[in-house]
């Protein structure tokens, strides 16, 4: 846990969130500023700063994040209509929170990827 990290504080419960799913490796919660009718964030429980600082020992964890996102999409009935998984990485992507996260967005026709 990084004591200065917003999402670590969400994991610990120091900052409240609307939880969607949790197990020993990942946690999912509603994005506080949704950009689509469905907007969930999937994060590792352990602090991983960036996709680009993850190492091979975290491959399964990142795969588990993606499959968790897909299951959430299924539960929310957007698996068939379609949804998007987004990882923002670094300055040009607009990444704001330096704790790896996947955005799951859907529930309407999404625009082109910028
Ligand atoms: P990114 O730009 O990829 O780093 O995305 C960070 C996301 O975290 C944004 O979509 C924010 O709306 C979201 N966010 C920031 N603070 C919170 C919070 N306290 N609870 C839930 N989502 C948050
Ligand atoms: Zn963190």
């Amino acid at each position: 846990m990084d004591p200065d990290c917003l999402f670590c504080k969400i994991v610990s419960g120091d900052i409240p969130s609307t939880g969607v799913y949790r197990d020993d490796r990942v946690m999912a919660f509603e994005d506080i500023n949704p950009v689509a009718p469905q907007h969930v964030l999937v994060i590792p429980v352990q602090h991983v700063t960036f996709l680009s600082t993850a190492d091979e020992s975290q491959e399964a964890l990142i795969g588990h994040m993606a499959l968790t996102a897909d299951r959430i999409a299924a539960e929310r009935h957007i698996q068939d209509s379609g949804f998007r998984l987004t990882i923002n990485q670094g300055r040009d992507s607009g990444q704001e929170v330096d704790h790896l996260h996947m955005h799951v967005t859907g529930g309407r026709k999404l625009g082109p990827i910028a």
Side-chain angles (χ1 to χ4, degrees):
M1 156 141 191
D2 176 340
D4 298 323
C5 171
L6 175 68
F7 285 175
C8 283
K9 290 178 186 162
I10 285 181
V11 169
S12 66
D14 291 339
I15 290 178
S17 66
T18 303
V20 171
Y21 176 79
R22 183 168 186 154
D23 63 25
D24 57 332
R25 289 182 288 163
V26 300
M27 179 175 173
F29 52 93
E30 303 285 352
D31 195 291
I32 204 167
N33 186 24
V35 300
Q38 302 290 340
H39 190 169
V40 172
L41 299 174
V42 182
I43 70 171
V45 166
Q46 69 172 131
H47 181 85
V48 178
T49 309
F50 299 115
L51 181 65
S52 45
T53 59
D55 60 34
E56 281 184 23
S57 73
Q58 291 160 326
E59 263 183 7
L61 173 64
I62 293 166
H64 185 51
M65 288 170 66
L67 290 182
T68 298
D70 183 63
R71 278 200 300 275
I72 291 167
E75 282 166 17
R76 292 179 171 227
H77 309 291
I78 58 171
Q79 193 184 44
D80 291 342
S81 53
F83 63 96
R84 184 171 288 157
L85 296 188
T86 308
I87 296 176
N88 285 323
Q89 164 63 47
R91 188 190 57 219
D92 279 356
S93 74
Q95 181 178 7
E96 290 174 359
V97 180
D98 292 350
H99 179 131
L100 178 63
H101 51 282
M102 280 181 190
H103 297 256
V104 187
T105 50
R108 65 167 167 77
K109 193 157 179 58
L110 300 169
I113 299 173

